[in-house]
Amino acid sequence: MFEKIKNALVSDQKQNASGRWVNGKYVKEERIPDGAGFEVAGLDYHMNEIRSFMEEIKKFKMPREKLAEMGYVGKKIYRYYFKVHTVQLIPEPTNPHDPNAIKVLINNIHIGYVPRNDTRVVSQIMGSGEIELSAFVSGGEYRLITSEIGDQIYSEPLRIEIRMRRSRK
């Protein structure tokens, strides 16, 4: 996922030679590419914590006929809504498995990690100034209302994607 971000950083560095002095070294300014982000790793180990910010959607339990009337035939109706207020990335140099680990917190709850292959790029972005983080959650249990009588309950793997952009302060 970060291949296009790495390429954009390299390309941007070639085009933009501006930078700044940090601790006696000249550091090139790096712009965060549009769409910079990653999928959180290790969600399966943190499902109890993730459940703490899940809220059931009332539509999920509505009668099939009412949902069909409302135009939900052929559409997925997910069971849960995820209340995300804050997203944080915290370096974890004492992690016994990976000294470059960066843990991901949502609503001050540890829910997973930056994938090992992405930690270098994420660290660079984190060190390039203030960034805004947002989380996009998808997957989970859903109902699919069909035109026939009845409906089915399915499930997709839960995914949480963190997106980053330069702070606009």
Side-chain angles (χ1 to χ4, degrees):
M1 176 178 264
F2 263 107
E3 198 57 42
K4 81 173 188 179
I5 294 170
K6 289 175 190 172
N7 293 339
L9 285 172
V10 170
S11 169
D12 198 45
Q13 286 173 350
K14 289 177 185 171
Q15 293 172 8
N16 181 6
S18 66
R20 58 192 164 107
W21 288 92
V22 178
N23 297 330
K25 286 176 66 178
Y26 187 74
V27 179
K28 288 184 180 178
E29 289 289 333
E30 294 178 346
R31 138 178 137 29
I32 299 174
D34 292 337
F38 59 89
E39 192 172 318
V40 178
L43 296 178
D44 291 343
Y45 298 102
H46 299 276
M47 284 310 296
N48 288 335
E49 293 85 353
I50 292 169
R51 284 185 186 94
S52 72
F53 57 90
M54 292 166 64
E55 190 172 296
E56 192 164 47
I57 297 172
K58 292 177 183 166
K59 264 187 247 174
F60 186 81
K61 290 187 174 180
M62 285 180 138
R64 180 199 171 288
E65 296 77 21
K66 178 77 173 162
L67 290 167
E69 258 177 48
M70 295 169 67
Y72 284 97
V73 173
K75 295 180 183 172
K76 296 177 182 178
I77 302 162
Y78 285 91
R79 181 176 205 140
Y80 296 106
Y81 167 75
F82 296 86
K83 288 181 158 186
V84 176
H85 299 290
T86 60
V87 179
Q88 297 169 284
L89 300 177
I90 310 288
E92 195 176 53
T94 59
N95 184 303
H97 305 289
D98 180 5
N100 298 314
I102 301 171
K103 62 182 174 179
V104 178
L105 281 69
I106 291 183
N107 303 341
N108 295 316
I109 298 166
H110 180 198
I111 57 105
Y113 287 90
V114 172
R116 186 180 297 239
N117 293 339
D118 296 333
T119 56
R120 189 176 70 59
V121 174
V122 171
S123 291
Q124 280 181 338
I125 292 171
M126 289 170 61
S128 70
E130 289 191 35
I131 57 172
E132 292 177 8
L133 302 167
S134 53
F136 296 87
V137 184
S138 63
E141 194 174 351
Y142 66 92
R143 280 174 71 186
L144 184 61
I145 308 299
T146 60
S147 55
E148 298 93 40
I149 298 171
D151 58 279
Q152 297 290 318
I153 295 179
Y154 300 95
S155 185
E156 296 174 340
L158 185 66
R159 293 179 61 234
I160 299 178
E161 184 182 336
I162 304 299
R163 295 188 191 154
M164 301 174 280
R165 69 177 192 180
R166 174 101 37 230
S167 183
R168 297 177 190 224
K169 291 180 182 178

